[in-house]
Amino acid sequence: MGISVALLSSKLSLKHKEMKQKTVLVLALLMLLLAGGCADFKTVSKQELPAEQTALLAEHAALYREVTAAAPFIRSLDGYADVWITTPKRKQRVFSNILINRGGESRMMVSAGFINWPVANMYFNRDSLYVHDMLNNRLFLGRNSDTNLEKILGVNSGYQLLSESLLGLVTISEPLSAITSVKQGSGMLLFTVASATGSKEVMIDLINRTLTALLLKDSQGRTTSEMRFKNFERITLEGQSALIPKEIALLLYNNGTSVGEHQLVISYDERQFNKPPRSLRFALPKKAKVVNIDDTAFQSWL
């Protein structure tokens, strides 16, 4: 009888030790998860814009047409990237598998922390937005609007601007007749172009023939959005080639509803273009708590 009690006591002690070890392991993993969000943080550095006025020459016009077409032979992207999000109230680094069917739908599978713990699965199309908060098993769904994108990502960007920024190829539809001025300096050309909502400033590298910056301004001349592109990689597909940036920065400024500057920096580690077409929509989780994004304030999935 004494031996049985001793064995039982030993087993209980061992079980208690194992539970304690598991608790310590879980806490350690959570600490790594949180620590990974702050380490090696990247923000956007400002760049001087060309200031010397020049005429619109024939070669300038050809360059504008070529670069603003944004490599139309690129139809899709499947890549892995580090993503840094900075807002006046939030600062987070995550790792993401980014999938884009150009002009259609996008998906981001997000991990965070030192061990790349899965935290969110996001799906966007022109109309709808779905976000599965995997840590808390919540499903956010709603319209794909500027406001809802800000609630989820912290950037008040429209879907087209966001998806083209993630791709690194922004199509500019304004014709040559919309160009109001051309400036040059440091190997760059800066085209100011009249748009439906104000104007665009399009900065192009003369040597590499690439879009390096795009600034969107409202009717009063205030910058509302800014995109920066660098670390270009030459991609050759179907007998055509283009330099496509591996690092993209999206900056958004106070638009009347958001205060301060918002930044989204994407840096690709690896990526593939024009893989066989497929739907990016994910299977909706069955037991997740459903939250309507339209009816809620900001909701963090980290």
Side-chain angles (χ1 to χ4, degrees), residues 86-246:
T86 307
T87 77
K89 296 182 178 180
R90 184 179 181 192
K91 190 173 183 180
Q92 185 68 45
R93 178 194 178 200
V94 297
F95 182 75
S96 183
N97 177 202
I98 299 173
L99 303 119
I100 298 171
N101 285 336
R102 194 171 185 181
E105 54 187 353
S106 304
R107 188 171 172 187
M108 295 177 67
M109 288 166 280
V110 183
S111 304
F114 181 75
I115 57 172
N116 288 328
W117 192 287
V119 293
N121 196 344
M122 306 182 183
Y123 171 82
F124 313 82
N125 62 27
R126 293 187 178 278
D127 304 312
S128 305
L129 168 60
Y130 301 85
V131 180
H132 182 202
D133 170 8
M134 299 169 73
L135 291 180
N136 300 296
N137 199 27
R138 295 176 298 178
L139 176 65
F140 298 105
L141 54 84
R143 295 174 297 115
N144 192 349
S145 65
D146 296 16
T147 302
N148 284 348
L149 281 172
E150 183 177 2
K151 290 176 184 178
I152 295 299
L153 289 175
V155 292
N156 51 343
S157 162
Y159 172 63
Q160 182 175 351
L161 180 62
L162 175 64
S163 61
E164 290 192 339
S165 297
L166 291 173
L167 184 63
L169 294 168
V170 180
T171 304
I172 300 167
S173 58
E174 285 76 12
L176 286 172
S177 58
I179 297 174
T180 59
S181 77
V182 184
K183 295 178 182 179
Q184 62 183 0
S186 302
M188 302 286 176
L189 278 182
L190 182 69
F191 297 89
T192 300
V193 184
S195 69
T197 56
S199 65
K200 297 178 180 179
E201 290 192 335
V202 182
M203 189 162 74
I204 296 175
D205 185 312
L206 276 166
I207 303 299
N208 294 319
R209 306 178 78 83
T210 54
L211 177 68
T212 59
L214 174 64
L215 285 73
L216 307 184
K217 299 194 172 188
D218 63 19
S219 57
Q220 298 180 28
R222 296 174 301 192
T223 302
T224 58
S225 305
E226 182 176 343
M227 281 152 280
R228 301 281 181 173
F229 308 95
K230 62 181 184 179
N231 191 12
F232 287 82
E233 175 186 27
R234 182 163 294 280
I235 301 298
T236 301
L237 291 167
E238 303 168 3
Q240 302 181 76
S241 67
L243 286 167
I244 302 178
K246 294 184 73 174

